[in-house]
């Protein structure tokens, strides 16, 4: 058997352990996706419900590879001026004034219009040059010395037009500036795109990316996450609170509690010096887990049963 698969397996395990030392607990599937995205130099589209660690994955990757994280937060109406670059209009205006002052000296002694135009064309015109370019996140990532981790966060909140605008960047790691031409990445960045699935992402963008779906964690993984992020929680309480949250996620709610909310709830229970769950404790702190009053009201009648099941779970 070739040693290559063994080396790949070892490197993937090193990625998983590297994340774990930085407080990001993940499974082999996530670690494999990160390994492949870096080796294949492909953007990684990370989808899943809010709060399962999509953004944190990009942050942990930046720490792991020792590169700066450059983040672009998407929203409706986002355009290339905010995402890619803007011109430094103030400096361009000053340059225009300087050019006017030098124009007389430039044209002195010229014989006729043809010679004047030749001199004008020979003049070093830097009006549209990188000197007057203000880079925004996408261009910063392409220009970053040594490379960067580029996070295009919540791409599903942007417009279809912006999604189409990204295709050149995602396929060739370059962008086109009309006044300058094509700007290529100095060092290929590691690119993450995240989506909460509020709308369907286009096929053209998906074809350019590796795909990773992060669901809510199972009981074992969520307990490991809580152990890492809130080590003060005693083992029995950790088991109970994770079992309770897992039970909540089986209900029909507007917003299911995410991992980030499980972590917040664990910290809340530590602050309250809780040793085990009871119905009153849960009712008094349920607003940490659930963000809609309708959900809190609907769960109220289920609390006793959920707490009993969580306490008895093994």
């Amino acid at each position: 058997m070739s040693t290559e698969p063994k080396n790949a397996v070892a490197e993937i395990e090193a990625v998983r352990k590297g994340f774990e030392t930085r407080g990001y607990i993940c499974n082999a599937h996530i670690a494999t996706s990160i390994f492949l995205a870096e080796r294949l130099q492909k953007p990684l589209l990370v989808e899943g419900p809010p709060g399962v660690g999509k953004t944190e994955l990009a942050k942990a990757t930046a720490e792991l590879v020792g590169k700066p994280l450059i983040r672009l937060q998407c929203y409706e109406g986002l355009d290339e001026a905010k995402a890619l670059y803007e011109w430094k209009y103030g400096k361009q205006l000053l340059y225009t004034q300087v050019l006017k002052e030098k124009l007389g000296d430039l044209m002195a002694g010229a014989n006729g219009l043809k010679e004047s135009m030749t001199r004008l064309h020979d003049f070093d015109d830097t009006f549209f040059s990188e000197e007057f370019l203000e880079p925004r996140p996408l261009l910063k990532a392409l220009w970053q010395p040594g490379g960067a981790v580029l996070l295009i966060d919540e791409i599903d909140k942007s417009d279809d037009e912006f999604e189409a605008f990204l295709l050149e960047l995602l396929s060739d790691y370059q962008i086109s500036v009309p006044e300058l031409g094509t700007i290529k990445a100095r060092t290929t960045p590691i690119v993450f795109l995240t989506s909460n699935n509020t709308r369907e992402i286009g096929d053209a963008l998906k074809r350019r990316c590796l795909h990773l779906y992060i669901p809510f964690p199972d009981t074992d993984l969520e307990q490991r996450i809580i152990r890492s992020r809130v080590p003060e929680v005693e083992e029995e309480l950790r088991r109970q609170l994770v079992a309770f949250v897992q039970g909540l996620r089986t209900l029909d709610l507007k917003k299911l509690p995410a991992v980030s909310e499980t972590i917040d709830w664990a910290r809340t229970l530590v602050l309250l010096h809780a040793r085990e769950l009871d119905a009153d404790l849960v009712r008094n702190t349920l607003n940490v887990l659930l963000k809609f009053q309708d959900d809190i009201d609907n769960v109220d009648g289920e609390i006793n049963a959920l707490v009993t099941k969580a306490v008895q779970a093994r």
Side-chain angles (χ1 to χ4, degrees):
M1 182 180 293
S2 171
T3 58
E4 189 64 28
K6 293 183 179 179
N7 292 338
V9 169
E11 289 187 51
I12 291 169
E13 179 60 16
V15 170
R16 189 193 66 77
K17 289 183 177 179
F19 282 149
E20 188 170 337
T21 61
R22 289 160 177 82
Y24 188 88
I25 309 302
C26 70
N27 54 29
H29 178 53
I30 294 176
T32 300
S33 297
I34 298 299
F35 171 79
L36 292 175
E38 184 177 16
R39 288 305 180 90
L40 297 174
Q41 293 190 331
K42 295 273 286 185
L44 184 61
L45 173 61
V46 189
E47 297 187 292
V52 294
K54 302 185 295 297
T55 299
E56 290 301 317
L57 177 59
K59 293 179 180 179
T61 300
E63 291 184 19
L64 185 64
V65 300
K67 294 182 179 181
L69 176 72
I70 299 176
R71 179 175 180 176
L72 173 64
Q73 179 63 51
C74 296
Y75 54 88
E76 186 177 352
L78 176 65
D79 59 19
E80 60 183 85
K82 297 297 182 184
L84 185 57
Y85 70 91
E86 286 184 308
W87 290 107
K88 299 177 181 178
Y89 298 113
K91 285 190 175 182
Q92 286 178 322
L93 181 60
L94 291 174
Y95 173 78
T96 302
Q97 293 174 346
V98 171
L99 180 60
K100 288 180 179 179
E101 294 173 2
K102 296 294 183 179
L103 201 57
D105 297 336
L106 180 68
M107 297 302 175
N111 296 317
L113 180 61
K114 185 175 181 180
E115 185 177 346
S116 297
M117 292 300 296
T118 300
R119 291 190 183 187
L120 187 61
H121 283 302
D122 291 340
F123 188 77
D124 184 20
D125 184 10
T126 60
F127 189 82
F128 288 113
S129 68
E130 293 183 5
E131 296 178 31
F132 293 107
L133 211 57
E134 181 65 47
R136 296 305 184 193
L138 299 182
L139 188 54
K140 283 181 180 179
L142 297 182
W143 276 353
Q144 181 65 36
V149 173
L150 172 62
L151 170 60
I152 304 174
D153 214 6
E154 297 184 312
I155 182 65
D156 52 323
K157 289 186 176 179
S158 66
D159 304 317
D160 292 339
E161 291 79 8
F162 182 74
E163 186 179 310
F165 160 71
L166 288 175
L167 297 181
E168 181 184 11
L169 171 70
L170 298 179
S171 60
D172 300 318
Y173 296 105
Q174 66 181 36
I175 53 93
S176 297
V177 177
E179 298 86 352
L180 298 178
T182 300
I183 297 178
K184 295 181 177 291
R186 294 169 181 171
T187 302
T188 301
I190 300 173
V191 180
F192 288 85
L193 300 94
T194 71
S195 169
N196 294 329
N197 295 321
T198 59
R199 70 170 175 86
E200 186 67 28
I201 302 300
D203 290 343
L205 188 145
K206 283 193 171 185
R207 284 198 304 272
R208 286 160 171 78
C209 302
L210 298 179
H211 181 261
L212 171 64
Y213 183 84
I214 302 181
F216 290 117
D218 59 23
T219 299
D220 178 65
L221 181 56
E222 194 156 23
Q223 286 204 38
R224 288 169 54 204
I225 293 170
I226 298 302
R227 185 186 299 117
S228 172
R229 300 297 294 270
V230 196
E232 309 93 315
V233 176
E234 295 182 7
E235 183 178 352
E236 180 63 18
L237 179 59
R238 181 176 65 246
R239 180 186 60 78
Q240 292 180 12
L241 72 88
V242 168
F244 182 86
V245 173
Q246 293 278 329
L248 275 183
R249 293 192 187 124
T250 66
L251 303 179
D252 184 17
L253 303 175
K254 286 184 178 180
K255 182 184 181 304
L256 299 177
V259 177
S260 56
E261 281 133 11
T262 308
I263 293 170
D264 288 342
W265 196 42
R267 289 170 175 160
T268 298
L269 297 180
V270 169
L271 288 174
L272 296 176
H273 305 289
R275 303 294 295 275
E276 64 177 7
L277 292 187
D278 62 62
D280 288 338
L281 176 64
V282 170
R283 283 191 174 89
N284 290 333
T285 58
L286 195 58
N287 61 313
V288 178
L289 285 173
L290 302 178
K291 305 304 182 182
F292 290 93
Q293 188 59 42
D294 286 348
D295 285 344
I296 294 174
D297 294 339
N298 291 334
V299 166
D300 188 73
E302 305 287 339
I303 287 179
N304 289 335
L306 288 171
V307 169
T308 298
K309 187 176 179 179
V311 170
Q312 295 174 350
R314 286 291 181 267

